[in-house]
Amino acid sequence: MSSPVHRLPPEVLAMILEHFKPIPPCPDSRNSLFDFLLVCRTWYDTIIGTPQLWAFLYLDMPLEIARLVLTRSQMHPLSINSRAYGMRFQWHKPHNETEILEMALGHSTRVKCVNVRVHDLRHSGLQKLLKSPTPALETLQVHADYRRSFELDASGLLDELTPSEGTPLKHLSLYDIPTRLDHPRLSNLITLKLSQRAVPHSPEPLLHLLSCSHRLEVLDISDLTESIQGVRATAPILLQHLETLSLRDMPGKYTATILASICTPSCSVIEVRDNRVRAWEDAVVVEELDAIIWKPGNHQAATLVGGPDSSKAPSMLNIGVSDGCVIVESHGMLGGELALEFTRAHIPRFMAHLAETLSQLPHPPVVYLR
């Protein structure tokens, strides 16, 4: 007991443990809170008396440990997750998810983060939790797992989320789960990630949400495979703080509508990859949108190829054409990344747009054609 570590003040020890982030209480894993409880009496008392160390509720926990977590976390904000750092508890009973979410209902007012994978929303307990008051909720990440259930009904995921008792969410990530993008608690997001059925068939509700997202830093939209409804570019929406833009596996006219409707002067990580399906039938609409995006002097066009800021712009661009797709990749881009794949029916016309935009940059990069 002469070691200096045993003479640490309890508050310092608590800070170190919180920074180290030991695996939440799990008797079958290494570096668990249960292991640290056995070090000495001081460590035991400190860990038991530090609620933030117990504020992680995992849906694969044994029920008795979940109850312990809810008790020892006291009134500290809770984080609800599917698995303990990707691990499975060796001796958990199957199908505990619903029971644990039911237990969390009585603590809904202190739920700060929900990051779960669900197999059937009708029986997961998630709907009940989101219908309860959640004033502290900041992060909502829900992944629908169709490998386990082909009858998932998620049409009303956020319909009953109590807007009057909570501030706007900060981070929203939905995979394969449709929801209302006009919900009041989505009015000023920092992170927005939507994939598959979570992506609205029309860009209009998404653009409306972006117009309210003045602090947005990450926009990630991907995997829209179904046919989309009418597209129409809006007046440019300024996303002053956007740093990461990712539009992947989307119909060209959907991607082009978004690019024609936003202005992202601070964006340094850009990934745009058109879905090559229906490229020819959408050609007329896409060309009309390209005329807006790549209009001479358009700041957004300059951003797409690395930006007008010479300190952040790439030193070199690789540009190639393959199977009706123009591919642009950056090299030497300080603190950023650029990866573009535009599917176009008329490649020469699009290359002319690209060349004109590059020629107008104050410090054009070296371009290699391949």
Side-chain angles (χ1 to χ4, degrees), residues 100-117:
I100 292 177
L101 285 169
E102 291 277 358
M103 291 164 53
L105 286 176
H107 304 264
S108 67
T109 56
R110 60 189 183 100
V111 173
K112 184 177 182 179
C113 171
V114 174
N115 182 4
V116 297
R117 180 187 293 267

Side-chain angles (χ1 to χ4, degrees), residues 76 138 148 167 184 198 206 262 302 337 366:
H76 197 274
E138 294 182 350
R148 295 282 297 273
T167 55
L206 176 60
I262 61 175
E337 183 179 349
V366 176

Side-chain angles (χ1 to χ4, degrees), residues 233-234 236 252-253 255-257 259-261 282-302 304 342 344 346 349-354 356-357 360:
T234 67
K253 63 181 179 181
T255 301
T257 301
L259 294 178
S261 304
D282 295 341
V284 174
V285 175
V286 171
E287 283 195 23
E288 292 174 352
L289 293 167
D290 275 343
I292 299 174
I293 299 169
W294 303 99
K295 181 180 179 180
N298 185 8
H299 191 282
Q300 184 60 23
L304 286 175
F342 294 106
R344 294 295 183 267
H346 301 286
R349 195 172 301 169
F350 183 81
M351 292 293 284
H353 284 311
L354 193 57
E356 185 169 16
T357 298
Q360 292 179 345

Side-chain angles (χ1 to χ4, degrees), residues 79-82 112-118 126 130 137-144 157 169 171-175 177 191 193:
S79 177
I80 300 177
N81 303 273
S82 287
K112 184 177 182 179
C113 171
V114 174
N115 182 4
V116 297
R117 180 187 293 267
V118 295
L126 182 61
L130 294 180
L137 185 63
E138 294 182 350
T139 300
L140 180 60
Q141 301 180 61
V142 185
H143 183 120
L157 177 63
L169 300 182
H171 311 284
L172 178 69
S173 178
L174 299 177
Y175 181 90
I177 296 180
T191 302
K193 297 182 178 182

Side-chain angles (χ1 to χ4, degrees), residues 83-266:
R83 295 186 178 185
Y85 294 88
M87 299 175 59
R88 294 297 293 182
F89 286 92
Q90 299 295 320
W91 53 285
H92 85 291
K93 296 180 180 179
H95 310 302
N96 279 355
E97 292 93 340
T98 297
E99 290 87 342
I100 292 177
L101 285 169
E102 291 277 358
M103 291 164 53
L105 286 176
H107 304 264
S108 67
T109 56
R110 60 189 183 100
V111 173
K112 184 177 182 179
C113 171
V114 174
N115 182 4
V116 297
R117 180 187 293 267
V118 295
H119 313 304
D120 192 335
L121 281 174
R122 294 168 298 179
H123 304 106
S124 69
L126 182 61
Q127 289 278 24
K128 289 183 181 179
L129 179 64
L130 294 180
K131 289 179 182 179
S132 303
T134 54
L137 185 63
E138 294 182 350
T139 300
L140 180 60
Q141 301 180 61
V142 185
H143 183 120
D145 191 347
Y146 274 92
R147 294 173 299 176
R148 295 282 297 273
S149 173
F150 292 93
E151 298 179 355
L152 185 143
D153 180 8
S155 58
L157 177 63
L158 290 183
D159 287 351
E160 302 299 331
L161 184 60
T162 311
S164 60
E165 298 189 26
T167 55
L169 300 182
K170 292 182 178 180
H171 311 284
L172 178 69
S173 178
L174 299 177
Y175 181 90
D176 223 1
I177 296 180
T179 194
R180 289 173 45 206
L181 294 185
D182 62 345
H183 196 282
R185 292 193 70 176
L186 305 184
S187 61
N188 201 8
L189 293 166
I190 295 176
T191 302
L192 176 61
K193 297 182 178 182
L194 304 175
S195 183
Q196 294 195 14
R197 290 203 305 162
V199 183
H201 289 177
S202 168
E204 186 175 350
L206 176 60
L207 293 173
H208 177 74
L209 176 59
L210 294 181
S211 69
C212 305
S213 303
H214 305 297
R215 58 178 180 173
L216 193 67
E217 296 178 4
V218 176
L219 177 61
D220 187 331
I221 311 295
S222 65
D223 296 320
L224 178 63
T225 57
E226 299 181 17
S227 60
I228 65 174
Q229 300 170 5
V231 296
R232 180 173 57 88
T234 67
I237 299 167
L238 178 61
L239 300 176
Q240 183 70 47
H241 303 287
L242 194 72
E243 298 175 357
T244 300
L245 172 65
S246 182
L247 305 171
R248 306 183 314 280
D249 295 320
M250 310 278 286
K253 63 181 179 181
Y254 201 111
T255 301
T257 301
I258 295 175
L259 294 178
S261 304
I262 61 175
C263 179
T264 59
S266 302

